[in-house]
Each structure stands twice: as structure tokens, then as C-alpha cells.
Amino acid sequence: MLLVPLVTACSIGPVRRPPPDRTAPSPDPATTAPASSPTASDVEIRHVRVAVGRQYDPPYVEFVTAERGYAQFSGCSSGQRCPALLYSTTDGGRTWRRLRHPHPVSENPQLYVAPGALTISVGSRDWYTSTDGGLTFAHAIGERGRAAWQAAQGRFQLDEVTGRAVRWQGRRMTPLPAQPPVPGLHGLVETRGLLVAAGVDGGRPYAAVSPDGGRSWQRTAVPALDGEVGTLRPVAGPDGEARLIGWPPDRTSFPTLWRYLGRWLPVPADGHPARALSVVPLTTGRFAVSGPDGVGVVADGRYDRLDWPLGPEHHLTLLDDGTVLGRASDEVLLASGPVGSRHWVRVVLEPA
């Protein structure tokens, strides 16, 4: 199939529900200013039309890395039911290839991606998972389908039902030999051979580390700062450094940040705005933060505005290869490279 690149932009990405296991704070429409993205002359636009009927709504687009991504057309503005269509890219959105959709006639199919896995869920029972880039799909029903998706999220996770720390082997999970000595466990992440668990109790942050895959744990003091912590999320920076992101109970005020250098060190952010909507770790202890005031970086104890082509409506996530993804309701932007010289790409996919 021939796909023709264009040089103009259009909207992309309908609203969808988040994956069932995602715990990161999501943008709150009530606090997000409806401003447009700043224009930037150095943003590369990859605009491609595909052979899809014009009655289709814009697709939902997900990326796993800066190069590999997927797009699903599943709704029609005319109100009629249209079969879902699935596409993939392996060159960062320059070209798109049509894939066989595993369940094209369904009500609101959802597309999720993870390193090495592509999953489409239909309703609450049918799950279709591919581990070969969408060439083939395995179908499973109910919890068996969810298990296939969960297994792709990483070796160590929290069991959604019991809240216990578990390890996934194949499509089965087993509790860790020892549970983290962390009250109110919120998250678990593996980085540099270290397993990090974090939680909150009574508004105070707690964390523990395991050097042996959860067979033993060492509780690590997290210096408490001003204000309560409502949610504490351990994350790995693109350089492998362990971090903590502590969101206040309202989940919109500016978060508290820590980095792990043998012990947890607070990361000051003097001059930061009152509110934030998303945070991603960068290299050398830095963080990028988006919010109603735009995007900024926390570095060297300060918060400074970034001249990134993102607006207050963009929600930041960090892809597996260290690429920063900025998502708004109508577009996806990708950025790779060092903080000061990132290469920005706006990906636009629309019906021909």
C-alpha cells in the first residue's frame, strides 16, 4: 500500500480510557488551559495520509519507542459503525503499514502498547495480544487476557487485586519472597539491578530497596518536606537512576521530587509554578514538568521554563528508549536527544 507524506498538519488522537494498570497522574481537563501549542520552526512534521475513508474520526496513536508506533481508527463521525483499522510504523511515523485488525467489528476497541507487546481489548473480556509487531494476535478471555497484557509491563509489579508486590514469569505471577516493608505501597520499579518500592502512610513518604529481586529489603529514609504526599511513584530515569515523584493529595499541585544516590535526596525546585499535570525524569537528576503554565525543567535546585513546542494541554510520558512523548487531544509530539538539543517531531496521521 502506498502512503503519501504531506507537509501540513491536522488533528490526531481521540479521547480514550487509560490502560487498566496505569498509575501515573493523568491530565485533569478542568485544570488544563485550552491553549494551542507554541509554534517552533525546528519541529519536523511527519504528516501522512493513509487509505482510510474520510468518515473515520482521527486515530488513537501510541508509540513504544521513537521509531515504533501504532495507530487505530475505530470511530466514525457520521455515527455509523465502522470497522476498526490498525496501522504500524517502524520509522517514527514517516510511513505507516496496514495490519490485520484482530477484532474489527466491535464497540470501542482500546489499543495499548508496551515494550515487545501490542494489545487490543474489546469490552472487558476479550483481549488480543501480539508479540511480533502486530503480525499475529493471541486471543484470551477475561483474566487470562489481562494476564498476557500485564506480563508485558515488566518483571516486577503490584497485583491490582491484593496490592502485593509480585514477579511475572511468562503469564503467571508469584508473590515476591519478601514483601517490601513499605506502608501504603503505591509502586514498584526495577532499575540498575535494584528493586525500588514506595508508598504513603498518613501523608508521609516511605521507600525500600532490594538488591536481590525481592528476597530481602532495606528500608530507606525519605526526607519529608513541607506538605502532604498523596501518591508516591518510583520511576527510573533514562540514565537508570531511581527517582521518586510525590504528588499531593489533590494531584494537581506541584509534586515533591527525590533522587536515589545511595540514599534519597530531595530535589529542590525553586521558582516552580503552583500547579503541574505530568512529570518525567530526565538524565543527571533532572525532571521535565508540564502544567497550566507550560513546560519547565527542574535542575540544579531550580525550575526554569523550557522552550519546547508544547502547550499546557500536553501530557508528558517517557518511552522505553528515553524519548519524551507529549500528548494532547489532537496531536502527538516526540523528542529524542539531550535536554538542550532535543529533536522534536510532530506526528500526524489522517484518512486520505
Side-chain angles (χ1 to χ4, degrees), residues 88-111:
S88 71
T89 180
T90 57
D91 57 11
R94 295 177 182 88
T95 61
W96 293 83
R97 175 187 179 187
R98 175 82 172 267
L99 300 174
R100 183 188 65 84
H101 197 285
H103 199 303
V105 180
S106 60
E107 192 74 32
N108 194 27
Q110 299 289 301
L111 180 150

Side-chain angles (χ1 to χ4, degrees), residues 30-329:
T31 60
T32 303
S36 299
S37 307
T39 59
S41 59
D42 57 349
V43 176
E44 178 185 352
I45 299 177
R46 296 174 184 168
H47 188 167
V48 177
R49 292 187 189 273
V50 294
V52 173
R54 290 188 175 275
Q55 73 272 23
Y56 278 88
D57 295 332
Y60 178 77
V61 179
E62 276 279 23
F63 277 84
V64 184
T65 65
E67 298 298 312
R68 179 174 290 277
Y70 300 92
Q72 178 180 249
F73 292 85
S74 59
C76 285
S77 56
S78 61
Q80 66 189 88
R81 179 174 293 187
C82 299
L85 304 174
L86 184 63
Y87 285 83
S88 71
T89 180
T90 57
D91 57 11
R94 295 177 182 88
T95 61
W96 293 83
R97 175 187 179 187
R98 175 82 172 267
L99 300 174
R100 183 188 65 84
H101 197 285
H103 199 303
V105 180
S106 60
E107 192 74 32
N108 194 27
Q110 299 289 301
L111 180 150
Y112 307 121
V113 301
L118 163 66
T119 294
I120 293 177
S121 69
V122 178
S124 60
R125 291 186 52 79
D126 291 288
W127 295 77
Y128 299 85
T129 300
S130 174
T131 57
D132 57 10
L135 298 179
T136 61
F137 285 86
H139 177 225
I141 297 175
E143 288 305 313
R144 289 180 58 244
R146 288 175 59 86
W149 166 247
Q150 283 294 134
Q153 306 304 300
R155 291 195 303 165
F156 299 99
Q157 300 177 39
L158 297 186
D159 181 1
E160 294 179 356
V161 177
T162 66
R164 302 186 69 188
V166 298
R167 175 172 179 164
W168 281 88
Q169 295 175 304
R171 295 188 180 183
R172 300 188 62 181
M173 67 177 178
T174 57
L176 295 184
Q179 289 297 301
V182 174
L185 191 60
H186 282 178
L188 194 67
V189 69
E190 181 185 22
T191 179
R192 290 181 177 173
L194 197 68
L195 199 55
V196 181
V200 174
D201 184 45
R204 294 179 58 85
Y206 294 89
V209 297
S210 172
D212 53 15
R215 289 187 289 275
S216 64
W217 291 88
Q218 176 185 351
R219 195 160 178 171
T220 53
V222 181
L225 303 179
D226 293 339
E228 286 187 77
V229 176
T231 302
L232 189 65
R233 185 165 61 96
V235 296
D239 51 5
E241 183 182 274
R243 319 277 183 89
L244 294 175
I245 300 174
W247 287 95
D250 64 8
R251 295 175 71 91
T252 61
S253 298
F254 200 89
T256 305
L257 308 169
W258 295 265
R259 58 188 301 203
Y260 187 74
L261 299 175
R263 59 192 177 96
W264 293 109
L265 300 177
V267 179
D270 293 344
H272 69 75
R275 295 194 173 275
L277 298 177
S278 61
V279 180
V280 296
L282 305 174
T283 55
T284 61
R286 299 172 177 174
F287 294 83
V289 185
S290 72
D293 296 321
V295 183
V297 63
V298 176
D300 301 323
R302 285 194 49 79
Y303 171 93
D304 293 296
R305 288 292 301 272
L306 284 170
D307 186 22
W308 283 3
L310 301 172
E313 71 277 15
H314 286 91
H315 180 70
L316 300 178
T317 56
L318 186 69
L319 303 185
D320 193 53
D321 63 350
T323 298
V324 174
L325 183 147
R327 179 186 301 284
S329 62

